[in-house]
Amino acid sequence: METVFLSRLKPLFDVIAGQRELYIPHHEEGHFSFARYNPQLHQEIAFNELRLCQPVKQFLFPLREIAAVFPDPVESPVVKPFAVYGLKDCDLRSIQVLDKVFAEEEFCDPSYLKRREQMLIISSDCYNPAESCFCTMMDGDVFPQQGYDLNISKIKDGYIIQAGSDKGLMLLKENESLFADVPHAAILERDDNRAQARRQSEEILTDYQFDVPVNQIVNNGCESELFDNEAKGCVECQACTRICPTCHCFYLYDEKQDDYYQKMKIWDSCVRLDYATVAGGENPRKLLTNRTLHRLMHKFVFFLDRYGIQMCVGCGRCIDACAGESNIRDVLKKLYDEPKTENNQKLKNGKKSIPTD
Amino acid sequence: MVKNPYQPINAHIVDVIDESSTIKSFVVKPDEPIPFKTGQFVELTLPGEGEAPFTPSSSPNQSDQMEITIMKAGRVTSLLHDCKKGQPVGIRGPYGNGYPVDTFTGKEVYIVGGGVGLAPIRSLLLTLIDRIKDFKRVVCRFGARTPEDFIYKDTLFGQWQKIGGLEIKLTVDKSNGQWDGNVGVVTTILKSDDVDIQNAVAVVCGPPIMMKFASMDLVEKGFKSEDIYLSMEKNMSCGIGKCGHCMLGKYYVCKDGPVFTLNQIKEYPDIWD
């Protein structure tokens, strides 16, 4: 696809912001979060060298939304076109995961589809992977190869913009006058930057070298005592599932308005005690150790089994967010290092068979 | 346009039948027919309060209205128990797989049920009775805590007893003095039954503890685990395999079930919790 050169991002972003809401990374207290771009405000257009602290799911699957209105159904609100800049390969793969669930099944989610259709995805290379990153362990990379409309690679004197879809290509064609040809040296510089970022990522992951696929490590370790220890350190704050870009559990509840009712959809978390409790009071995952295990089994084993792609994208946000200082990579490492007994090869079940009372 | 899977179809309650002290059946008429397969479930909304999953207890041949049998167990079911004729409700569904009735053709169908678990079984039985000659025989072994706790008493003690090819035996945990049938949990009446195991399927639905022991006894009787069908109850909420609440190992009970063979799920130790 088309690749062009641009010395400053502002002219391009001003054009985009004229057509749709544009969200860009905003540097604040040591991390990047999303901020609405306003051409009039002379905002700094930061190049986030690593992922933002927020997951991209909030744009497609908001924290809370109206799922249905009844008894008289109403059309769900119109979604205006919008663009999000600063997404990394891990973010793009998280969108792929959500697409599998909400956009590619027998039952699609209409509001998700609307938002997805209206979204322009502007990704960028990741030049400075965080200490918590492990994308390369989870089929990812430090720069995106697919799933974007435009990808931006920063070099010393400007930016290389690459189109990854017809939507992106169209945008480049419509604004040809803004761009120059990409100097060959710029491509070499970009490739150097990418190779450097990959080396950095490899260095971060020196202690996590496995010769077995991650799903097998978790599946084989599902009877491990390790999950009891993990549970002891967990304060059940649910931050891991909220900040995870691919966790997509939700809770449906009903609300009465003046003259109608609405069914609401709100993020939920499988770490929550009563998450799986039925009306009669039975709860298949009463123990936190079982909820911890279920989360990992879903993340690393069940999803892959059902949809054929990794659910965990290795962004490491759960590591940064955990109040109990749990590190999912250490869990994988410990499970990998555990001696393989006959017992932990036998059960592939997502729950430890320990007494529940 | 994509159909909104969270939109309930408007309906209203046209009749309420007291089945036992804790169980009522609600005849619900939706504004548009909701065709379903026996064993599939629906989400019943009490507007403004919430929704809960139920397997209709009526025959799928009757799609203009359905019966839903509800035990008072949680918040929504308690509020539903207070509902009267005319109450507007909402229905989403049907969801899940249902019983593979066609594969039962020519076989003995051995049905074990208890308590409110008779609700999905009633729908299955009505389906089987419509074509009773297609099956070698249909054997029902039902249990309740006391004789008063049996639901569908009229048909259970009346009409169904007279149908050729259908054999019903009942048991209660505790007799009330006038009960002349078997006393003991339902598994106590399974042992003596003579079943052509090679040509039989079993269907189990009831409280988790009963399903656990009935499944064990059926395996002991010689049933292959792939011939034992269980109707699983988990926290089915969205109904479409997305929200995650009903996950049982790798399965979404709402989508991959609620009917599973024992073979599919026997490796999961939490199935009865």
Side-chain angles (χ1 to χ4, degrees), chain B residues 11 14 17 32 41 116 140-141 183 211 251:
Chain B
V14 293
I17 303 153
E32 52 189 272
F41 73 97
V116 79
C140 298
R141 299 295 177 249
V183 177
M211 289 179 74
Y251 296 113

Side-chain angles (χ1 to χ4, degrees), chain A residues 165-182:
Chain A
S165 71
D166 290 344
K167 219 196 284 188
L169 192 61
M170 184 81 85
L171 193 66
L172 295 190
K173 289 228 182 306
E174 282 168 0
N175 298 282
E176 259 172 346
S177 60
L178 295 177
F179 308 116
D181 289 340
V182 189

Side-chain angles (χ1 to χ4, degrees), chain B residues 127-184:
Chain B
T127 311
L128 299 180
I129 288 169
D130 274 350
R131 40 188 279 207
I132 194 85
K133 292 200 162 55
D134 288 355
F135 312 100
K136 200 173 159 200
R137 61 174 188 154
V138 177
V139 180
C140 298
R141 299 295 177 249
F142 298 153
R145 262 182 316 180
T146 69
E148 288 80 20
D149 287 317
F150 273 112
I151 57 176
Y152 316 129
K153 291 184 192 69
D154 283 357
T155 40
L156 199 54
F157 296 112
Q159 192 193 345
W160 285 352
Q161 299 282 352
K162 296 173 205 139
I163 294 173
L166 177 64
E167 302 163 32
I168 298 181
K169 195 192 262 185
L170 306 173
T171 180
V172 295
D173 297 355
K174 217 174 132 194
S175 168
N176 60 357
Q178 289 146 18
W179 177 255
D180 56 7
N182 189 77
V183 177

Side-chain angles (χ1 to χ4, degrees), chain A residues 83-95:
Chain A
V84 184
Y85 163 59
L87 303 178
K88 304 299 180 188
D89 181 55
C90 55
D91 298 310
L92 304 189
R93 285 182 302 115
S94 80
I95 296 175

Side-chain angles (χ1 to χ4, degrees), chain A residues 67-69 71 75 101 105 107 109 113 249-250 254 261 263 268 275 277-279 285 298 302 305-306 349 351, chain B residues 1-2 4 6-7 10 45 47-48 50-51 73 234-235 240 242-245 247 249-250 255-256 268 270:
Chain A
V69 169
E75 267 287 304
V101 179
E105 288 220 301
F107 296 100
D109 188 302
L113 288 178
C249 287
F250 60 87
D254 286 65
Y261 302 99
K263 209 167 273 302
D268 201 354
Y275 174 80
T277 304
V278 298
R285 292 186 288 275
H298 187 212
F302 300 152
D305 203 35
R306 180 172 291 258
N349 51 36
K351 182 177 181 275
Chain B
M1 211 191 78
V2 179
N4 182 358
Y6 311 112
Q7 184 73 49
N10 296 322
T45 295
E51 60 182 358
K234 295 288 160 195
N235 185 1
I240 51 179
K242 302 192 192 309
C243 81
H245 289 84
M247 278 189 91
K250 68 175 181 181
K255 197 175 165 194
D256 307 320
Y268 304 108
D270 56 350

Side-chain angles (χ1 to χ4, degrees), chain A residues 50-53 90-91 93 130-135 138 205 240 243-245 295 312-322 326-329:
Chain A
L50 79 155
R51 53 158 175 75
L52 289 89
C53 72
C90 55
D91 298 310
R93 285 182 302 115
E131 270 305 309
S132 53
C133 287
F134 59 107
C135 67
M138 302 309 302
L205 298 174
C240 51
I243 206 148
C244 173
R295 182 177 145 251
C312 175
V313 293
C315 71
R317 287 183 178 91
C318 59
I319 300 174
D320 293 344
C322 183
S326 170
N327 184 326
I328 201 162
R329 294 172 313 189

Side-chain angles (χ1 to χ4, degrees), chain A residues 320-351:
Chain A
D320 293 344
C322 183
E325 295 186 352
S326 170
N327 184 326
I328 201 162
R329 294 172 313 189
D330 290 342
V331 174
L332 297 174
K333 166 87 173 139
K334 285 177 193 162
L335 290 175
Y336 175 75
D337 288 341
E338 276 186 359
K340 306 287 174 289
T341 63
E342 203 184 312
N343 189 34
N344 64 16
Q345 296 282 359
K346 212 162 46 191
L347 286 159
K348 298 174 179 175
N349 51 36
K351 182 177 181 275

